[in-house]
């Protein structure tokens, strides 16, 4: 099968608010803000993106999948993201070279350091 990753779907209690938070955090464009789903992409014509869909149930357990980001300046991003609704998280990771955060709905993601050459 020839396939490529088209989207990552994120369940959300408030997809509109969560998609705006992620769009602001990533600097991405909102490409669909219909009542059914909210989609953001790096640019309107670039994929993959993130699609936020409403689910009635609350998040109850640790994510089985999470996103990792590798910015140019890890500390600057870790300092910036709480203003957009992220919070630091201790999920038992201990001392690491990355920072673990959660988005406004409790979804875990990590901000990695620069790639070693």
């Amino acid at each position: 099968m020839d396939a490529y990753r088209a989207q990552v779907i994120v369940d959300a209690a408030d997809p509109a608010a969560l998609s705006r938070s992620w769009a602001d955090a990533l600097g991405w464009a909102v490409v669909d803000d219909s009542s059914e789903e909210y989609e953001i992409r790096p640019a309107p014509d670039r994929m993959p993106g993130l699609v936020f869909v409403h689910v009635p149930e609350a998040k109850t357990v640790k994510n089985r999948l999470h996103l990792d980001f590798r910015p140019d300046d890890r500390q600057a991003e870790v300092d910036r993201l709480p203003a957009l609704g992220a919070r630091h998280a201790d999920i038992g990771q201990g001392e690491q070279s990355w920072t673990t955060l959660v988005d406004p709905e409790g979804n875990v993601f990590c901000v990695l350091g620069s790639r070693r050459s």
Side-chain angles (χ1 to χ4, degrees):
M1 168 172 63
D2 288 340
Y4 65 94
R5 182 174 45 89
Q7 302 288 20
V8 173
I9 309 302
V10 180
D11 292 347
D14 185 348
L18 193 57
S19 68
R20 283 191 300 273
S21 177
W22 276 103
D24 290 345
L26 297 171
W28 286 13
V30 175
V31 296
D32 184 359
D33 61 357
S34 68
S35 61
E36 297 299 314
E37 63 186 30
Y38 296 78
E39 181 180 356
I40 65 172
R41 295 183 189 168
D45 60 345
R46 280 191 52 212
M47 291 181 71
L50 296 172
V51 177
F52 300 84
V53 297
H54 179 262
V55 294
E57 64 276 356
K59 180 179 179 298
T60 58
V61 297
K62 179 180 178 275
N63 298 47
R64 294 191 63 151
L65 171 76
H66 74 261
L67 302 174
D68 284 350
F69 299 97
R70 189 179 302 279
D72 292 333
D73 184 338
R74 183 184 64 82
Q75 193 57 52
E77 287 303 300
V78 169
D79 293 343
R80 182 182 75 89
L81 292 168
L84 300 171
R87 299 180 318 277
H88 288 267
D90 181 353
I91 58 169
Q93 71 272 17
E95 262 321 293
Q96 298 296 336
S97 60
W98 62 83
T99 301
T100 304
L101 302 168
V102 294
D103 72 13
E105 290 199 10
N107 299 301
V108 174
F109 65 99
C110 294
V111 182
L112 308 177
S114 60
R115 187 174 296 274
R116 293 182 185 157
S117 315

